[in-house]
Amino acid sequence: MGHILRATTLVQLPPELLYLTLSSLDAYDLVRVRRTCKALKAMIDNSEMLQYVIDLSYFQMIPMGTSEIDMPPVIRRKRLRQHDAAWQRIEYKQKCTLPSTMLGPIFEFSGGIYGSAGEDYIHFTRLPSATDSNDLHCWSHPVDATTSVDFTFCAAQDLLVVVAYSPDPRTHAYDIHLRSLTTNDVHTDAAQPILKALDKDIIDREIIQPTGHVNVQIMGNYISMLLWNIVVNEGMVGDYMQMWDWKSKNGYQFVLWFHNGINDCSFIAEDKFLVLDSRGTMEIYYVGDKSKPPQCTAKLSLPSLMSHVAYTEAFTGENIIPGSMLPYSRKSYQPTCSFHPSTNDQLIAIHVSITGTMYTNTMDFHRYSFFILRSAISELESLFAKTHGQPTFNGPKLLWSTWGPQHTTWFRVQRNEDWQSSLYGFRVVEPINDPPEVSREPRRLRIRDFNPHIARNYHAQDKSDWRGRLVEGELTSTISCPFTEPLGSALPYREIVSEELFDVDDTLMDESRILLLKKDEFEELLKIDVLVF
């Protein structure tokens, strides 16, 4: 007589094998499995490691540093929740002031390092984290102040990029030097030590006047440079974007010429960037096939306006590019904060200004900031393709009414308020005036957290020691001047305003710090304080 094989269900597996199986799941699958039966729910609820995986996804964070791996999961969960609680209460652990050498007019803040261009030097400071002492690690690299134009860096890749005027402007406009952030030597991964921007052999034009504003960005293997108001030999004035794979020995690069000009260009992923113009259009570009320039994948319209007014500016905020937020891997330079925002999604900030004559026939000026999730932008690419196919030069755009109200939240910026909020991950911080009048007196800080998981579960949490409020997302039919269609208010967020007053005019932030920038009446930096969470 043959043996009868009986099926073994998942919950009948030995506990060790069941745990091993569940450990291979991500947070979303763990939550789904948890709902299937009481036995699996108990297994997941009683495992600190599996709960830690779920917590990381809930707070949209990733662990960093070897110290995290050595800690028991129960301690990791506690530190993760303490990290979030400190932000939701604005309870910083320490405060320090940057040295006066860091008060130059050109500055960058990324990967826990603040850089400032001074006279003949670029100065850098590695900022402390909550588990560090208050000591600052500082170093400097010499530069030629007469030719230097801009700089940026990526701490995760130990890469410093310095932009300088070309010694021979007849051949190209700028030199882009690729150096080590820590040693100032030529970067060991660079295919060539200097990149040439607007090489006349590449753009097929001779540059007459390369004196416009420039902006350089690092996105993984790519370096991009946006150049405004470039005058070429035909007398044409245009805006250019040039991009290189700085590690490629094949010399991969391309140049985009924007005939009608653009306001801003910003990477939102390693293979994707946004282009904004002053006519109320946002374009999405994809960097895929390296045999040809990036392809426009979607064109989106901003809200339509009343007659006699027009968009005059549109630019992205200081969005932290995924990957560039991570600290430098060398132990002596690595901030010891254990958690950083996940690169799966993030908040994108876009700022617009509107100018024109209104009912009184006098010039009126409006400023707005709106926010959208990066994941929503990917959805809009698919929606555009289904609706219009491939974008064309003067082709149709995705109308605001079909995408904007349900994916964005807008804020009106008062005349006396700072236009740009500081943004990192899903959090936004800004100084506010209370009462709302122009003043250089100490100000409160406001933090908004757009993490959708927190907003979605806000009412189910214990809020006995919380401060602040939840603003629910909603679709609205209200139309506000100077627009002719409703704006967006769909994204929910948690908001808190500090009780403490700070001597601040502008802010910067990352995963564990807020930088408080104090300026004089001429917008020159006077002081930078650092709050460490």
Side-chain angles (χ1 to χ4, degrees):
M1 182 174 180
H3 296 284
I4 299 176
L5 297 177
R6 295 185 179 181
T8 301
T9 64
L10 185 64
V11 295
Q12 292 175 320
L13 293 174
E16 297 81 5
L17 187 56
L18 177 57
Y19 174 77
L20 184 63
T21 302
L22 294 175
S23 298
S24 65
L25 303 180
D26 62 19
Y28 295 99
D29 286 337
L30 285 173
V31 171
R32 284 193 286 267
V33 169
R34 184 178 175 273
R35 295 171 181 162
T36 58
C37 70
K38 292 181 179 180
L40 291 175
K41 179 180 182 298
M43 167 67 79
I44 294 172
D45 289 353
N46 292 327
S47 168
E48 290 289 346
M49 190 63 217
L50 297 180
Q51 286 295 304
Y52 178 58
V53 172
I54 295 174
D55 284 353
L56 285 172
S57 177
Y58 176 79
F59 292 110
Q60 306 231 33
M61 305 293 280
I62 55 176
M64 294 293 298
T66 55
S67 59
E68 271 301 298
I69 300 175
D70 298 333
M71 289 184 180
V74 63
I75 302 300
R76 300 187 219 174
R77 292 189 68 200
K78 181 179 179 180
R79 291 187 60 177
L80 176 61
R81 292 179 175 274
Q82 288 174 340
H83 179 78
D84 183 75
W87 280 99
Q88 65 179 266
R89 299 168 188 156
I90 316 186
E91 294 179 350
Y92 57 92
K93 294 180 173 60
Q94 56 178 283
K95 181 178 180 180
C96 63
T97 300
L98 299 189
S100 59
T101 54
M102 306 307 297
L103 302 180
I106 303 176
F107 54 83
E108 289 284 335
F109 177 45
S110 176
I113 295 174
Y114 183 88
S116 173
E119 186 175 351
D120 299 325
Y121 283 90
I122 301 178
H123 304 282
F124 299 95
T125 297
R126 193 212 70 174
L127 304 181
S129 68
T131 56
D132 290 335
S133 66
N134 235 9
D135 296 336
L136 300 172
H137 174 76
C138 303
W139 70 101
S140 301
H141 297 321
V143 293
D144 186 349
T146 61
T147 61
S148 295
V149 178
D150 195 12
F151 80 96
T152 190
F153 58 88
C154 176
Q157 301 186 87
D158 188 36
L159 175 63
L160 170 63
V161 174
V162 178
V163 181
Y165 288 117
S166 166
D168 187 0
R170 296 172 298 177
T171 61
H172 63 287
Y174 298 95
D175 284 339
I176 301 177
H177 300 263
L178 308 179
R179 303 176 180 174
S180 162
L181 176 62
T182 53
T183 67
N184 203 33
D185 297 328
V186 173
H187 199 288
T188 55
D189 291 337
Q192 50 188 311
I194 300 175
L195 303 174
K196 296 180 179 180
L198 293 186
D199 189 324
K200 72 174 185 178
D201 293 333
I202 299 296
I203 66 173
D204 197 29
R205 294 179 177 90
E206 183 178 348
I207 303 300
I208 303 299
Q209 187 179 0
T211 56
H213 181 59
V214 304
N215 181 42
V216 61
Q217 299 181 57
I218 303 170
M219 181 63 238
N221 288 352
Y222 296 120
I223 291 176
S224 71
M225 188 172 178
L226 188 58
L227 308 100
W228 289 275
N229 300 322
I230 300 297
V231 181
V232 295
N233 55 351
E234 294 94 341
M236 295 184 296
V237 179
D239 300 333
Y240 290 83
M241 177 189 179
Q242 191 162 2
M243 183 171 169
W244 302 263
D245 182 338
W246 64 281
K247 297 180 181 179
S248 172
K249 299 186 182 301
N250 297 325
Y252 170 73
Q253 64 173 302
F254 67 83
V255 177
L256 292 180
W257 179 33
F258 299 97
H259 304 263
N260 298 320
I262 63 171
N263 275 181
D264 198 11
C265 174
S266 180
F267 272 86
I268 59 172
E270 188 164 354
D271 58 357
K272 199 168 295 184
F273 59 87
L274 297 180
V275 170
L276 300 168
D277 65 26
S278 59
R279 299 176 301 280
T281 302
M282 181 168 71
E283 299 179 350
I284 306 172
Y285 281 78
Y286 172 68
V287 185
D289 185 354
K290 288 190 176 183
S291 66
K292 54 187 177 181
Q295 301 299 300
C296 181
T297 57
K299 293 187 176 184
L300 316 176
S301 293
L302 296 183
S304 58
L305 301 172
M306 301 172 64
S307 59
H308 309 300
V309 296
Y311 290 103
T312 52
E313 280 189 285
F315 58 94
T316 59
E318 293 296 327
N319 302 319
I320 301 300
I321 301 171
S324 67
M325 66 180 69
L326 304 181
Y328 180 43
S329 58
R330 183 181 297 180
K331 187 174 182 181
S332 60
Y333 290 101
Q334 182 175 347
T336 56
C337 177
S338 301
F339 304 104
H340 293 259
S342 170
T343 58
N344 293 331
D345 202 359
Q346 70 176 110
L347 197 66
I348 304 295
I350 297 177
H351 311 282
V352 298
S353 64
I354 301 166
T355 306
T357 55
M358 300 301 288
Y359 306 112
T360 59
N361 291 324
T362 59
M363 188 62 67
D364 203 0
F365 183 67
H366 301 263
R367 297 186 301 177
Y368 292 85
S369 296
F370 73 90
F371 300 93
I372 182 172
L373 296 179
R374 193 179 77 229
S375 55
I377 293 177
S378 297
E379 295 177 12
L380 296 177
E381 284 184 291
S382 300
L383 178 59
F384 185 93
K386 292 177 182 178
T387 307
H388 301 297
Q390 182 66 29
T392 57
F393 180 67
N394 288 316
K397 309 169 194 173
L398 207 59
L399 296 178
W400 170 258
S401 59
T402 64
W403 74 271
Q406 59 268 45
H407 287 297
T408 66
T409 287
W410 285 62
F411 299 95
R412 172 78 183 272
V413 181
Q414 303 301 323
R415 295 181 184 273
N416 59 311
E417 291 182 332
D418 297 311
W419 195 352
Q420 293 197 61
S421 305
S422 183
L423 169 66
Y424 198 89
F426 291 92
R427 293 192 183 101
V428 181
V429 62
E430 59 191 351
I432 59 175
N433 288 332
D434 187 17
E437 59 186 23
V438 178
S439 172
R440 292 199 170 271
E441 296 299 316
R443 306 160 73 181
R444 302 182 191 277
L445 294 178
R446 175 170 56 208
I447 297 178
R448 294 183 173 120
D449 192 335
F450 286 83
N451 182 348
H453 297 161
I454 292 176
R456 191 178 302 121
N457 295 278
Y458 181 85
H459 297 292
Q461 300 181 40
D462 179 13
K463 297 179 287 295
S464 56
D465 58 347
W466 282 23
R467 293 187 289 113
R469 62 173 184 148
L470 175 73
V471 178
E472 302 274 11
E474 61 179 1
L475 293 178
T476 177
S477 59
T478 303
I479 300 176
S480 304
C481 176
F483 301 98
T484 62
E485 52 188 334
L487 303 180
S489 57
L491 302 183
Y493 58 90
R494 182 180 64 190
E495 178 183 275
I496 183 172
V497 176
S498 68
E499 296 179 350
E500 184 178 353
L501 298 175
F502 299 93
D503 198 19
V504 58
D505 293 309
D506 290 323
T507 56
L508 298 171
M509 72 180 301
D510 67 4
E511 80 290 335
S512 61
R513 309 165 191 86
I514 297 178
L515 277 62
L516 309 176
L517 282 62
K518 183 63 179 177
K519 301 179 179 180
D520 62 17
E521 61 270 24
F522 304 108
E523 293 297 304
E524 294 184 356
L525 282 172
L526 296 173
K527 182 177 65 168
I528 302 177
D529 290 330
V530 182
L531 307 180
V532 182
F533 290 80

